[in-house]
Amino acid sequence: MKYAGLLKQSLIDYPGEIAAVLFTRGCNFRCPFCHNPELLIKPRDPEPYDLEEILDFLRQRRGFLDAVVVTGGEPTLHAELPGDLRCMKDLGYLVKLDTNGSHAAMLEGLLQEGILDYVAMDIKAPVDYKKYQQVCRQISADDFFNVRSSIQLLLEAEIAVEFRTTVVPYLHNAEDIEAIAHYIKGAQQYTLQQFHPRVTLDPGYSNIAPYSSGEMEALADRCRPYVKEVSILNL
Ligand code: SF4
């Protein structure tokens, strides 16, 4: 498939590994705080990278890069994703997928085939359809049921799994964050990602002040009884 972007090396997108990061276009959600809004609109020009170019790049970088991270947008909207990831895995790379969890059947297939080494799944809100609608603005009932199924799949998966929430004042309070942690009880990793108002899909969100580091720490403390490791990410 075609990719909208390629970050040739990153030290932060696959913990402990040097990774290339591929960006896919399009998303089925419309989170107002989305910091990649350019990936939600159709490009004026054709996408810059096709699979063959990406595979050539990865062949040349073998031994220097360890991993490939595919992020979005929402990568699982693309039916070609499993085939592409299989090619990357066959080159010897660790493969990480970032997803909003709305395509559980694809996720299940990728897990069963052993293609994925790491999945980071966003949990946008307490796992309740109304709450998800408030935060994602655009989400079908099917998407929501898929989100629930993906969480269950990942709680049982025998690979590295990280759940994460971008924490936004007015959308998430302490009870919401604790409810998410409770829902994923027993998970390996829950990351609370600090909201940054620099670039947002809804311009109104660029005026919202993020929680302070002390407030983020207090939120993390509320999650620690439920999840093995809780961290705060401040990009
Ligand atoms: S933040 Fe929301 S709208 Fe933006 S890419 Fe992620 S799921 Fe899609």
Side-chain angles (χ1 to χ4, degrees), residues 50-235:
D50 64 27
L51 178 64
E52 280 315 314
E53 281 176 84
I54 297 288
L55 294 178
D56 281 347
F57 167 78
L58 292 173
R59 273 185 208 104
Q60 288 163 18
R61 290 306 185 96
R62 267 195 290 212
F64 177 72
L65 291 174
D66 309 303
V68 182
V69 177
V70 182
T71 189
E74 175 48 40
T76 64
L77 291 183
H78 301 269
E80 307 98 315
L81 182 73
D84 286 16
L85 295 183
R86 200 174 297 119
C87 293
M88 296 168 199
K89 183 84 177 166
D90 287 346
L91 291 177
Y93 283 96
L94 295 165
V95 174
K96 174 173 178 255
L97 174 66
D98 291 350
T99 181
N100 63 23
S102 60
H103 198 331
M106 184 183 286
L107 180 62
E108 185 170 26
L110 288 166
L111 291 168
Q112 282 174 351
E113 264 200 75
I115 292 174
L116 299 173
D117 299 283
Y118 193 131
V119 175
M121 178 178 162
D122 282 354
I123 302 185
K124 303 291 185 185
V127 185
D128 169 274
Y129 188 34
K130 279 205 175 130
K131 294 258 185 191
Y132 250 77
Q133 284 176 311
Q134 280 165 11
V135 174
C136 303
R137 290 197 173 164
Q138 171 182 296
I139 176 171
S140 68
D142 268 359
D143 284 345
F144 176 71
F145 291 132
N146 271 281
V147 165
R148 291 200 321 186
S149 300
S150 292
I151 293 171
Q152 288 312 315
L153 282 169
L154 292 174
L155 285 172
E156 292 161 15
E158 292 178 352
I159 59 167
V161 170
E162 174 185 354
F163 295 102
R164 60 191 183 191
T165 300
T166 301
V167 184
V168 186
Y170 302 111
L171 290 179
H172 304 106
N173 59 28
E175 287 70 35
D176 293 330
I177 298 303
E178 186 172 348
I180 296 171
H182 184 265
Y183 193 90
I184 58 169
K185 195 172 181 183
Q188 300 165 28
Q189 170 82 37
Y190 184 36
T191 301
L192 301 180
Q193 189 164 304
Q194 178 65 283
F195 160 67
H196 280 288
R198 286 184 300 252
V199 182
T200 55
L201 175 63
D202 180 337
Y205 276 69
S206 59
N207 299 318
I208 293 178
Y211 283 121
S212 68
S213 53
E215 288 169 322
M216 290 294 283
E217 281 296 341
L219 292 173
D221 283 344
R222 287 185 75 140
C223 300
R224 292 202 163 96
Y226 308 103
V227 179
K228 291 180 187 131
E229 199 176 330
V230 180
S231 56
I232 297 168
L233 183 64
N234 195 347
L235 291 173

Side-chain angles (χ1 to χ4, degrees), residues 27 29-31 34 73 100 124:
C27 188
F29 296 176
R30 287 292 179 274
C31 313
C34 182
N100 63 23
K124 303 291 185 185

